[in-house]
Amino acid sequence: MRSTQIRSTFLDFFTSRGHRQVPSSPLIPSDPTLLLANAGMNQFKPYFLGEVTPDFPRATTIQKCARTSDIDNVGRTNRHATFFEMMGNFSFGDYFKADAIAFAWELLTQGFNLEKDRLWITVYQDDDEAEQLWRKIGVPAERIQRLGMEDNFWSMGVPGPCGPCSEVNYDRGPAFGREGGPAVDGERYVEIWNLVFMQYQRGEGDKKGDFPILGDLAQQSIDTGLGLDRLAAILQDVENVCGTDLLHPTLTTVQELAGRDYPGSGEEKVSFQVVAEHARSIAYLITDGVLPAKDGRGYVLRRLMRRAIRHARLLGIDQPVLAPTTASVIGNLGGVWPELTAQAALIEQVVAAEEESFTRTLAQGTRLLNAAITRSRESRSTVLTGETAFELHDTFGFPVELTVEAARDAGLTVDEDRFADLLTEQQRRAKAGGKAKTAEALRRQDAYRELSARHGRTDFVGYDRLDAETTVLGLISDGTVVPGAEQGSTIELVLDRSPFYAEGGGQVGDTGTIRTTDGTHMEVLDTRPGLEGFHVHTVRVAEGEIRTGQQAEALVNGARREAVARSHSATHVLHAMLRRTLGDHARQHGSLVDAGRLRFDFAHFSAVDRAQLAAIETLVNDSLLADPEVRVWHASRAEAEAAGATALFGEKYGDHVRIVDIGDFSRELCGGTHIGHGSNAGPVRILGEASIGSNLRRIEALTGRDALDHYDTERRLLEELSALLGTRPQDAPDALRKRLDTLAATERELTHLRETELRDRAQHLAAGARTVTGGRLVTEKVTGLSPDELRALAHNTADLLDTGHAVVVLGTEHDGKALLAAAITRSLHETGTEASQILIPAARTVGGGTGGKGPLASAGGRRTEALDEALTIAAQEAGRALGQ
């Protein structure tokens, strides 16, 4: 059974049993506690927690998942992968254990025709009910095993919904391992389907099983996950996922690049599988908006890329490997996941740029590593320090495995224990910072959840009006729900109805005022989403006291809202024109939409030059000047996508979406506020663009009145410049260019004259050198020299005396400081003498220190009155240096 049939069999089974088919959410989750989507239930977390009531009680999905917790096992086991498709069925307070178990058994044994006597079951150690349900359905007691919390109790790894689970395992036979069931051998008895009985809410904890249970969920629910990779390997009778139709074409590509067949065992087999498996993860991550970076999810992608490249090099593949392997992923799976095909150009450019960069990193790291190996040998050490290995890893991205291998080839070992300690300490610091932020966010979320459970969603009326009669439902101070707040307080406030737009999609939150019926006046400083559909207003109590339950009037700052709306519509037009000019890959990766200004982040792989920026700006303004209609409409997400609407990376959309059309050139899913016609948004003035990360660029621009003010400022500056140059504005550039050319020629002439003067002065000083014991000496107080010129004069004079040992010491006053310079001849320096040692006592005399090493040094201090004394002292030191 091919993977396409496996997917359709699964979805058809559950849709025929009343489940709503829900599209996969992006790999970038909307949940701030998660780095990447790691389970099918992620997008349904608000439903499990009771924060949001779903429109359907049952759902089924095939979810894209990324997990790197077992990255080191990829290729070494038959069951681990960093990307996989999780097929799942879900119940939100509808059915529970009995139906979930019955559905799983029926689909596995009848839909997929798996042999019943090869299915083993594990249940949570205290779950008598689950065991009885499995026995009732026909599974004998000897094929049901009870395991502890680590194996049969599920959570996302962070605070949230959780519960005991029951896993269905398939016996692949004696060739895969020992007898005894899944409790004995997870390779032979491979887990294929996990049925989670979502009952509880967990708290903060470091490890699986080491966390508190905070209580029962509002309703009992079901969350299951059937791994497509593992089931495909069984149904297609291959050893692991690389042999299935999901990855075999990519594995074939790796074999072609390596020039040899995939081996049946050994380290080469591991490398073949790592390259193929990671290529799939890389393609999906980039498709969903992840770009290589130094931290966060971008680091996950970079690590996968570098690991794939390293294993390709171990296979002897010296040519680019990521572009052809990800292309094979797209060719194989793009029909099922069309977003892969849509982002093919982006994937190719990202992987090509990253592989080229890492190839340079490998070359640089190899040079540094070779230098460290040489130092170790010279010091007769047999160990390369952990500090060296960590610096190569942390600063240069050089894999520690390569460091160990290269050291071994040189007859050295690496202090891996010290490396591990340094890495652990770095991770501890990062985790500590992350935990503090997470704890603060969780406190706020608990307060929001409490109010949301009590009052439900905020009724947002701000698309149609800027004011509303409303009721104060709750007040939050430092993450705690409070009954009231006094004048001068800054708190968070929740209303039942609100005209204030909550920050989202890059658009800033509204500001304005709230006045209660008894005269309390509050300034709204910001508006943000607390939970889905739940607005939180940050307010300062300017006058009076505020209490829960008070009636109030909310009023948005209309001028600011209109300016923000202009920027938002301009952002959509800019997005469309960037893609038209640079290519379809130049998609939005973040934005800031504010009053009169915008910031737009997009994928691209080189700087956008001034001519391109000017052309883009012209396209944007011409499009707005044509006054296209801005139309808002609603549809199902499937209908919107079929109509060509652009969904932004990382944004969460429901089944019913809001679409914003601008003319016939821009169609985006968007929840923000907009103007009615394009001409209301302009003009747009692009200020510039810059890199903000690997393969990521940022444009900043002004809109509306702010753009006009900027044009006006530039006009006035040009007029002032023209007046200074005595010419017309249109002639100012040529006039300035001529002036600058004349100035540059004059500066070159002055430099030449100054150099000639310094050579003449050096000859005069050298001719007056005194003969002392051991050589010749020049000490002189000079005038009219800068610090650089003083050093140059000393150096040039010493060069003229280079027929033997000689010392030159010069002093001058410059900008209120006493300056000294000393130069010695090459022959004197070869005896071990340093110019700086001649100036040390003299530098103390003028109240300063020395700088420079070798045959030239300088010193300076604020005591200009002591310059003559300092020269005398330096001359004495010079005499001692010559007489040694």
Side-chain angles (χ1 to χ4, degrees):
M1 186 179 287
R2 293 184 62 79
S3 57
T4 51
Q5 188 180 351
I6 296 173
R7 294 187 192 93
S8 63
T9 298
F10 183 90
L11 293 174
D12 290 347
F13 178 88
F14 282 105
T15 54
S16 69
R17 286 157 179 79
H19 292 67
R20 170 81 66 86
Q21 183 177 334
V22 178
S24 171
S25 65
L27 285 169
I28 300 178
S30 58
D31 188 339
T33 65
L34 287 176
L35 197 64
L36 293 165
N38 62 4
M41 63 78 60
N42 290 167
Q43 64 174 312
F44 303 124
K45 182 178 174 183
Y47 300 163
F48 288 120
L49 289 173
E51 296 171 353
V52 177
T53 302
D55 297 330
F56 43 87
R58 304 178 176 196
T60 183
T61 66
I62 297 179
Q63 173 65 46
K64 297 176 287 188
C65 295
R67 295 181 189 172
T68 56
S69 53
D70 295 312
I71 188 171
D72 293 328
N73 289 323
V74 173
R76 300 190 179 278
T77 72
N78 293 319
R79 55 196 172 97
H80 287 105
T82 57
F83 173 89
F84 55 92
E85 296 176 44
M86 183 68 83
M87 303 185 292
N89 60 288
F90 307 88
S91 163
F92 313 115
D94 186 10
Y95 62 83
F96 200 49
K97 291 183 185 180
D99 286 332
I101 288 171
F103 285 150
W105 187 255
E106 180 183 357
L107 179 55
L108 290 175
T109 59
Q110 297 178 33
F112 295 121
N113 295 317
L114 296 181
E115 304 96 317
K116 294 180 181 180
D117 59 0
R118 299 185 76 167
L119 296 176
W120 286 65
I121 309 299
T122 63
V123 298
Y124 182 52
Q125 58 192 7
D126 298 333
D127 197 344
D128 297 333
E129 180 187 6
E131 180 178 356
Q132 289 304 314
L133 288 168
W134 282 113
R135 292 181 66 175
K136 183 178 179 180
I137 214 166
V139 181
E142 60 269 21
R143 291 212 309 274
I144 302 175
Q145 297 180 328
R146 293 189 182 226
L147 297 175
M149 180 169 274
E150 184 173 353
D151 295 295
N152 275 79
F153 197 97
W154 191 90
S155 81
M156 291 191 300
V158 295
C162 63
C165 62
S166 180
E167 295 175 350
V168 183
N169 306 268
Y170 183 81
D171 180 5
R172 303 210 66 187
F176 286 84
R178 299 172 295 162
E179 292 186 3
V184 173
D185 194 324
E187 284 295 296
R188 171 173 171 173
Y189 302 89
V190 61
E191 174 206 338
I192 54 174
W193 203 342
N194 188 11
L195 315 178
V196 180
F197 311 127
M198 208 69 81
Q199 297 174 253
Y200 309 115
Q201 184 174 341
R202 63 158 282 187
E204 182 69 53
D206 291 334
K207 297 179 293 185
K208 188 173 182 179
D210 186 18
F211 51 76
I213 300 296
L214 302 180
D216 294 335
L217 294 173
Q219 58 189 13
Q220 294 182 333
S221 299
I222 288 295
D223 157 31
T224 85
L226 173 60
L228 176 62
D229 284 8
R230 296 181 183 183
L231 184 58
I234 292 167
L235 294 177
Q236 295 173 21
D237 194 24
V238 294
E239 185 181 43
N240 57 58
V241 65
C242 286
T244 70
D245 65 331
L246 292 163
L247 271 182
H248 191 264
T250 304
L251 183 65
T252 300
T253 300
V254 180
Q255 294 178 83
E256 292 170 352
L257 293 169
R260 57 184 183 280
D261 292 336
Y262 169 61
S265 60
E267 290 300 311
E268 280 200 351
K269 176 186 177 184
V270 173
S271 292
F272 271 103
Q273 291 185 203
V274 166
V275 176
E277 196 281 331
H278 285 9
R280 179 176 61 167
S281 301
I282 291 162
Y284 278 90
L285 285 167
I286 296 172
T287 292
D288 275 8
V290 182
L291 290 175
K294 294 181 179 179
D295 53 19
R297 55 181 65 96
Y299 178 73
V300 172
L301 174 60
R302 176 163 283 168
R303 184 185 180 198
L304 288 169
M305 288 178 160
R306 292 184 168 188
R307 197 165 188 263
I309 295 167
R310 187 179 74 82
H311 278 275
R313 300 297 182 263
L314 292 176
L315 292 174
I317 303 173
D318 294 326
Q319 66 197 85
V321 68
L322 295 184
T325 52
T326 53
S328 73
V329 171
I330 297 166
N332 184 38
L333 298 172
V336 178
W337 299 97
E339 58 264 43
L340 285 171
T341 303
Q343 297 299 326
L346 175 66
I347 294 168
E348 181 182 7
Q349 289 174 297
V350 170
V351 299
E354 186 69 14
E355 184 158 6
E356 181 182 353
S357 172
F358 186 51
T359 298
R360 291 195 299 269
T361 294
L362 284 174
Q364 181 185 25
T366 299
R367 289 194 298 271
L368 295 170
L369 177 58
N370 289 339
I373 289 172
T374 299
R375 289 195 301 271
S376 295
R377 283 173 165 170
E378 289 174 349
S379 64
R380 299 189 177 182
S381 173
T382 60
V383 179
L384 198 66
T385 67
E387 283 77 7
T388 297
F390 183 75
E391 181 184 10
L392 286 166
H393 162 81
D394 188 52
T395 305
F396 301 101
F398 198 78
V400 68
E401 297 90 344
L402 289 186
T403 301
V404 171
E405 183 180 339
R408 183 174 60 243
D409 292 343
L412 304 174
T413 60
V414 175
D415 187 349
E416 294 186 67
D417 290 340
R418 177 58 178 158
F419 171 84
D421 289 343
L422 292 168
L423 186 61
T424 299
E425 175 60 21
Q426 181 194 57
Q427 293 169 341
R428 185 196 64 75
R429 289 195 300 268
K431 190 173 183 180
K435 283 182 68 176
K437 293 178 182 177
T438 300
E440 180 182 352
L442 287 172
R443 283 197 306 274
R444 290 178 178 272
Q445 289 290 315
D446 287 342
Y448 300 156
R449 193 172 292 121
E450 177 183 340
L451 292 174
S452 178
R454 200 184 299 166
H455 303 291
R457 296 187 178 197
T458 303
D459 180 14
F460 175 59
V461 297
Y463 287 134
D464 304 315
R465 54 190 299 176
L466 298 179
D467 63 327
E469 299 296 326
T470 186
T471 303
V472 177
L473 297 181
L475 304 169
I476 303 166
S477 177
D478 295 328
T480 302
V481 177
V482 296
E486 298 178 349
Q487 183 171 317
S489 303
T490 298
I491 58 169
E492 293 180 315
L493 177 147
V494 177
L495 303 172
D496 66 336
R497 300 175 73 237
S498 176
F500 293 94
Y501 178 83
E503 177 185 331
Q507 180 174 328
V508 297
D510 278 336
T511 63
T513 59
I514 299 174
R515 292 183 182 273
T516 66
T517 53
D518 63 357
T520 298
H521 174 215
M522 289 167 285
E523 298 175 358
V524 180
L525 308 176
D526 192 16
T527 310
R528 296 176 297 101
L531 303 171
E532 185 176 344
F534 184 73
H535 291 200
V536 177
H537 311 78
T538 301
V539 303
R540 186 180 72 84
V541 184
E543 183 179 348
E545 297 181 356
I546 182 66
R547 293 288 181 268
T548 300
Q550 287 182 295
Q551 301 299 305
E553 181 184 17
L555 181 64
V556 174
N557 181 332
R560 181 176 181 272
R561 162 74 82 83
E562 187 177 4
V564 172
R566 282 195 291 267
S567 294
H568 205 151
S569 297
T571 299
H572 282 218
V573 178
L574 174 62
H575 189 192
M577 297 309 131
L578 277 168
R579 292 172 64 188
R580 179 183 295 184
T581 305
L582 303 178
D584 193 56
H585 68 274
R587 288 176 172 257
Q588 179 173 341
H589 279 259
S591 66
L592 171 67
V593 179
D594 206 341
R597 66 189 183 98
L598 65 88
R599 190 177 69 209
F600 190 83
D601 301 340
F602 61 100
H604 197 52
F605 310 96
S606 62
V608 183
D609 62 40
R610 291 174 62 184
Q612 285 179 309
L613 277 182
I616 291 166
E617 182 180 277
T618 299
L619 279 172
V620 170
N621 284 312
D622 285 349
S623 300
L624 293 173
L625 192 60
D627 200 28
E629 181 185 1
V630 179
R631 188 170 72 92
V632 176
W633 53 289
H634 296 80
S636 70
R637 182 172 177 181
E639 289 170 336
E641 290 177 348
T646 300
L648 302 186
F649 288 134
E651 288 294 313
K652 183 178 181 180
Y653 303 101
D655 288 336
H656 200 66
V657 294
R658 182 174 183 264
I659 305 103
V660 176
D661 287 351
I662 302 181
D664 59 359
F665 53 83
S666 173
R667 172 168 288 170
E668 295 190 14
L669 304 186
C670 180
T673 62
H674 290 266
I675 39 81
H677 286 79
S679 60
N680 297 339
V684 174
R685 177 67 163 130
I686 294 179
L687 300 178
E689 73 90 47
S691 170
I692 58 168
S694 179
N695 309 315
L696 204 58
R697 312 295 299 182
R698 171 173 290 169
I699 280 179
E700 297 197 39
L702 300 175
T703 61
R705 169 56 60 186
D706 291 77
L708 290 173
D709 288 345
H710 188 269
Y711 283 122
D712 192 46
T713 298
E714 289 182 326
R715 178 184 58 80
R716 289 198 304 271
L717 288 172
L718 179 57
E719 289 174 350
E720 184 178 350
L721 178 63
S722 302
L724 290 171
L725 292 169
T727 187
R728 299 179 301 171
Q730 59 265 40
D731 297 329
D734 286 339
L736 180 59
R737 197 175 293 113
K738 290 177 182 177
R739 294 281 182 95
L740 291 174
D741 288 344
T742 301
L743 179 61
T746 302
E747 287 178 342
R748 286 194 297 271
E749 184 177 352
L750 286 173
T751 299
H752 176 71
L753 291 172
R754 192 64 169 161
E755 289 172 350
T756 301
E757 179 188 353
L758 286 175
R759 283 196 297 270
D760 291 343
R761 293 181 73 171
Q763 289 174 350
H764 176 75
L765 290 170
R770 293 180 289 127
T771 301
V772 298
T773 302
R776 305 178 74 189
L777 175 63
V778 175
T779 57
E780 189 80 24
K781 183 177 180 180
V782 294
T783 59
L785 299 180
S786 69
D788 288 341
E789 290 172 338
L790 184 69
R791 286 190 294 271
L793 181 58
H795 174 72
N796 292 341
T797 304
D799 274 352
L800 293 172
L801 298 172
D802 203 25
T803 54
H805 291 0
V807 176
V808 177
V809 180
L810 304 178
T812 192
E813 292 182 24
H814 181 78
D815 284 346
K817 292 183 67 175
L819 302 180
L820 295 161
I824 61 177
T825 55
R826 183 171 45 195
S827 61
L828 181 58
H829 183 236
E830 288 172 351
T831 67
T833 301
E834 296 285 324
S836 59
Q837 69 190 58
I838 295 170
L839 290 183
I840 291 173
R844 286 197 292 265
T845 302
V846 294
T850 62
K853 58 183 180 180
L856 181 64
S858 59
R862 291 290 180 186
R863 297 188 63 222
T864 56
E865 71 278 6
L867 180 58
D868 290 337
E869 180 184 355
L871 279 170
T872 301
I873 292 172
Q876 294 170 353
E877 290 296 320
R880 279 192 280 272
L882 288 168
Q884 289 177 349

